[in-house]
Amino acid sequence: MAELGLNEHHQNEVINYMRFARSKRGLRLKTVDSCFQDLKESRLVEETFTVDEVLEVLNGLQAVVHGEVESELINTAYTNVLLLRQLFSQAEKWYLKLQTDISELENRELLEQVAEFEKAEFTSSNKKPIIDTIKPKLAPLNEGGTAELLNKEILRLQEENEKLKSRLKTIEIQATNALDEKSKLERALQNLQLDQENQKDFIKVQDLSDLENTVAALKSEFEKTLNDKTENQKSLEEDLVTAKHDLLRVQEQLSLAEKELEKKFQQTAAYRNMKEILTRKNDQIKDLRKRLAKYESED
């Protein structure tokens, strides 16, 4: 039996859709046949007709057939849109962005392959039991393997990204507080030095030495505190730079993982299946257009 390069589950889905399309096509052809039969029974009751009468009959038949064919083409287009919507909805649940190649819809080789598959399948399926037409709703693709691992990696990277953002915000707040504290200490030292200069003339000589010693001790203690704050600030700044680098690395890994997942999905059977379905439906539309053009040329 001809194959489409799909796994068993997806090939069964294709067969179900082809069965649905064949049923709709058969019903519409019966409707067109009934249009001609009604014309034969209602209008072709006389042996001879004038040119005007023949034109009137053909124009009426053309209008009816045109309406039937147009209705079927519109319905076919809407059906394809609903089918694509189901596939895209599944893909979006896995953060995928599907792409279609419209040019492949007129690939004669692929169209012939689909035609052979339909012929082989439905010629042999006459002996097969009828498959239950009640189908469950589509669920997100879950074939495991690379796709599942990539999806888990994306979720992990997203969580790590949020943690790094929170950590970066905390470090920025700590760095800001350290800078504020450093500025306050510098202003306090400047004020102390200014007070010392203003009070020099009023302090006795014997107290000047004690005051200078006290100021020197305070200055030494302040410088030690300032150095500690500076080292702490440098550490915070280094942590901030490291966090930013980690954030950029995680974002890059997230982007690569998303691209890899999208690339893997484009190589799956679902992607090729969708392209083949669009190709086959486009060929059916072209065939109907040719048949309609044939009727118009005969008129």
Side-chain angles (χ1 to χ4, degrees), residues 58-68:
L58 292 178
N59 289 335
L61 180 61
Q62 178 187 2
V64 174
V65 173
H66 181 276
E68 292 292 338

Side-chain angles (χ1 to χ4, degrees), residues 278-292:
L278 292 176
T279 300
R280 174 168 47 82
K281 296 306 293 183
N282 190 66
D283 186 63
Q284 290 177 355
I285 292 173
K286 290 178 63 179
D287 183 62
L288 290 175
R289 287 177 178 172
K290 290 180 180 179
R291 291 171 59 187
L292 180 59

Side-chain angles (χ1 to χ4, degrees), residues 98-115:
L98 302 183
Q99 293 179 344
T100 58
D101 188 354
I102 303 300
S103 63
E104 287 295 317
L105 299 180
E106 297 183 354
N107 188 318
R108 296 301 306 176
E109 181 179 354
L110 294 178
L111 292 174
E112 291 174 359
Q113 181 181 352
V114 174

Side-chain angles (χ1 to χ4, degrees), residues 75-88:
N75 184 70
T76 299
Y78 292 168
T79 301
N80 289 334
V81 171
L82 292 178
L83 182 62
L84 288 173
R85 179 177 178 272
Q86 294 180 27
L87 295 176
F88 291 155

Side-chain angles (χ1 to χ4, degrees), residues 164-178:
L164 286 175
K165 286 182 179 179
S166 177
R167 179 185 174 190
L168 178 62
K169 184 176 181 180
T170 301
I171 292 176
E172 288 177 345
I173 293 175
Q174 292 176 350
T176 301
N177 293 336

